[in-house]
Amino acid sequence: YQRRVHGDSNILLHRYSMPPKKKDEEKKIPLGRPGNTLRMGIVGLPNVGKSTTFNVLTKLNVPAENYPFCTKDPNNAQVAIPDIRFDKLIEMYKPSKSAAATLNITDIAGLVPGASEGKGLGNAFLSHIQGVDGIFHVIRTFDDPTIVHTEGEVNPIADMETIHTELLAKDMQFLTSWIDEAEKTVKRTLDKSKAEELAVLKKARAIVESKKFIKDVDWTINEVEVLNHHQFLTAKPMVYLINMSIEEYKKKYNKHLKAIMDWIKTHGGGPIIPYSASFEEQVVAAENKEEFLKAEGAPSTINKIIKIGYSCLNLIHFFTTLNNDLRCWTIRSGTVAKKAAGQVHTDMEEGFICVDVIKYSDLAELGSEGDVKAAGKMKQMGKDYAVEDGDILFIKFNPSKKKTKQGTAMNLPIHSKSVSYTHLRAHETLRYLVCRLLLEKK
């Protein structure tokens, strides 16, 4: 407080001070390659149910035979992301066209002990894992004498140890090579950035030598940038799919389940989904799926597997709804509005002005865009707004003046509002003129 004397009066003034600005939280960069066209790979030993799982996830029919290495070359497919919000928006807007968000899935050949040294399909298998961004690790727990187990008996813990050991061994091979190369470069050139990279690689080597996955360690932003450049196998997120027999799945019991969960907990953790690939085959084949599931007394886990695979890649999606066309657009969590606009069209990113945002929850509650606007719940946001999962966006941008080969203006997508930059600035010009007039009067 500060007291000042004015004439005969004492005036007690309160000196306000602005609170200290909060330091911006350090923005985390996820491990893995950047982008929104990411891919989950189905991994496991031979004959654990990988190709059957791929078939029920993708509704395809790739070979799933009872012999090792039935799958040699990876099979790829896109699957739609189940989303009740998307279904609700279709009911509300009744669009003539629609496109759901999708997840890319790859079925990868079975791995055997010694794969990192070339056994089985060895190096081909591991190179296919390098091509994906996350892993569905299928673990066999069912006993079936008609389906051969390559190691002679069903032993889920030993199977997980095999996958764990081979991925670590391959990353160690990569690290040995990259560290040797970096040391020679630093010695020859005294390159500071290369020296920093070398320090990160040596830290990663120590982690791998301790039998830990790179994904299970906290890294700084600069370290993550180095790791993402090298794309380590053990840096990929992993979802554990516990493949049970139909009977055990219905009973929700398997003798191996507790040991599996304990092992996963002590090896970095991760999402665990018990399921039955054989049961899911029956669900896919059923004429009326709802009646079949009700009669069997067990749920399908396919939608859950797809959703968790999508979220473990740090993916979200937003909606656009203009001109009778409803679409989902996949982006990485934390993507800002300007970059998100670029997913619809690059010209929208280049000419980005602002974006009108409706939250799905507000639209579902109030019933229409008009009611949301009337309630003041449509917000206009700038280029740095971090788009959230389920946002409905109306992107405003300055149309590009680029020409096509025919000399006509480029056709832009219909999921945006094209706005003249001159008209958008008109109110600012008017405000300036009013201020000038007021100043002249004074």
Side-chain angles (χ1 to χ4, degrees):
Y1 290 91
Q2 185 176 16
R3 185 176 296 277
R4 292 181 182 175
V5 178
H6 291 269
D8 297 330
S9 303
N10 288 337
I11 301 175
L12 185 64
L13 302 177
H14 182 77
R15 177 175 291 173
Y16 290 96
S17 60
M18 294 295 291
K21 291 184 178 180
K22 293 182 179 179
K23 292 183 179 179
D24 294 336
E25 291 186 5
E26 189 177 83
K27 186 177 179 181
K28 291 186 177 180
I29 302 175
L31 283 167
R33 70 183 174 93
N36 61 316
T37 56
L38 305 183
R39 186 177 299 276
M40 290 292 291
I42 301 178
V43 172
L45 269 66
N47 291 354
V48 298
K50 298 185 307 302
S51 294
T52 303
T53 301
F54 179 80
N55 286 339
V56 297
L57 286 173
T58 63
K59 309 298 188 293
L60 297 180
N61 190 28
V62 303
E65 304 296 340
N66 179 24
Y67 57 85
F69 310 120
C70 167
T71 301
K72 293 184 179 178
D73 297 321
N75 299 297
N76 301 298
Q78 270 191 346
V79 297
I81 305 299
D83 190 344
I84 58 173
R85 300 171 303 183
F86 181 68
D87 298 335
K88 180 67 174 178
L89 289 174
I90 288 178
E91 289 180 18
M92 294 176 65
Y93 286 94
K94 296 179 173 57
S96 60
K97 295 188 293 182
S98 63
T102 59
L103 175 66
N104 299 300
I105 298 179
T106 300
D107 180 23
I108 298 175
L111 176 149
V112 296
S116 59
E117 299 171 359
K119 292 183 180 179
L121 295 179
N123 292 323
F125 165 89
L126 294 165
S127 69
H128 295 156
I129 295 182
Q130 275 192 304
V132 301
D133 304 282
I135 296 172
F136 284 131
H137 182 178
V138 178
I139 302 160
R140 174 177 173 175
T141 64
F142 62 89
D143 289 308
D144 188 340
T146 65
I147 300 178
V148 178
H149 191 290
T150 54
E151 298 304 304
E153 63 175 351
V154 176
N155 187 338
I157 303 301
D159 293 353
M160 290 189 292
E161 288 284 1
T162 295
I163 299 291
H164 191 267
T165 300
E166 294 302 323
L167 295 182
L168 286 170
K170 197 62 183 179
D171 272 355
M172 184 57 72
Q173 291 178 12
F174 291 147
L175 281 162
T176 300
S177 174
W178 291 330
I179 287 173
D180 287 345
E181 180 183 338
E183 285 178 335
K184 291 176 183 177
T185 303
V186 170
K187 188 176 181 179
R188 184 176 65 253
T189 65
L190 300 179
D191 187 320
K192 183 178 178 181
S193 63
K194 203 67 177 177
E196 292 172 352
E197 178 184 353
L198 177 60
V200 176
L201 292 176
K202 286 184 175 180
K203 180 179 176 180
R205 181 174 62 184
I207 298 299
V208 172
E209 285 176 340
S210 68
K211 307 302 180 185
K212 290 183 181 179
F213 274 21
I214 288 172
K215 70 179 179 65
D216 298 326
V217 177
D218 291 329
W219 302 90
T220 67
I221 290 177
N222 292 336
E223 289 173 337
V224 169
E225 289 177 348
V226 172
L227 297 172
N228 285 350
H229 176 71
H230 292 284
Q231 292 295 297
F232 292 99
L233 303 184
T234 60
K236 302 178 187 297
M238 188 174 289
V239 178
Y240 296 91
L241 305 182
I242 314 302
N243 191 6
M244 308 164 68
S245 68
I246 295 177
E247 293 75 18
E248 290 173 332
Y249 175 66
K250 289 180 182 178
K251 293 177 182 177
K252 300 180 181 179
Y253 173 78
N254 179 276
K255 62 183 180 182
H256 301 291
L257 200 53
K258 185 180 184 305
I260 291 171
M261 295 178 72
D262 290 342
W263 187 95
I264 292 170
K265 185 177 180 180
T266 59
H267 288 78
I272 303 171
I273 306 177
Y275 79 115
S276 171
S278 298
F279 178 76
E280 299 298 344
E281 277 189 310
Q282 295 181 3
V283 175
V284 171
E287 291 184 6
N288 189 316
K289 293 179 175 55
E290 290 184 5
E291 289 184 3
F292 174 81
L293 292 172
K294 186 176 180 180
E296 293 294 320
S300 171
T301 55
I302 291 304
N303 287 352
K304 182 178 182 180
I305 292 171
I306 294 170
K307 286 181 179 180
I308 290 183
Y310 189 74
S311 63
C312 90
L313 292 176
N314 208 29
L315 296 175
I316 61 172
H317 53 267
F318 65 91
F319 304 102
T320 57
T321 61
L322 287 179
N323 293 352
N324 211 27
D325 190 357
L326 173 64
R327 289 180 180 267
C328 295
W329 303 92
T330 298
I331 55 174
R332 297 295 290 271
S333 178
T335 300
V336 296
K338 185 175 180 180
K339 289 292 183 182
Q343 297 304 319
V344 183
H345 198 286
T346 53
D347 281 1
M348 292 169 63
E349 181 179 354
E350 292 172 4
F352 182 88
I353 298 172
C354 63
V355 61
D356 291 333
V357 182
I358 292 179
K359 297 297 179 184
Y360 170 81
S361 57
D362 293 333
L363 183 62
E365 178 186 350
L366 298 173
S368 71
E369 287 179 19
D371 291 334
V372 173
K373 292 176 184 177
K377 292 191 174 183
M378 175 185 272
K379 305 297 182 182
Q380 189 173 90
M381 309 301 289
K383 64 180 181 179
D384 294 326
Y385 167 70
V387 177
E388 297 180 359
D389 187 40
D391 279 353
I392 301 160
L393 303 186
F394 301 89
I395 302 163
K396 297 178 181 179
F397 68 104
N398 191 27
S400 171
K401 296 181 180 179
K402 294 178 182 177
K403 303 292 182 179
T404 62
K405 291 181 180 179
Q406 290 76 21
T408 57
M410 294 182 68
N411 292 322
L412 295 175
I414 57 177
H415 315 287
S416 58
K417 292 181 179 179
S418 173
V419 179
S420 167
Y421 192 69
T422 303
H423 293 149
L424 189 70
R425 288 287 189 174
H427 72 284
E428 294 182 6
T429 304
L430 181 61
R431 185 170 59 186
Y432 169 76
L433 293 173
V434 169
C435 290
R436 285 292 301 271
L437 287 172
L438 290 173
L439 288 171
E440 287 175 2
K441 286 182 179 181
K442 288 182 180 181

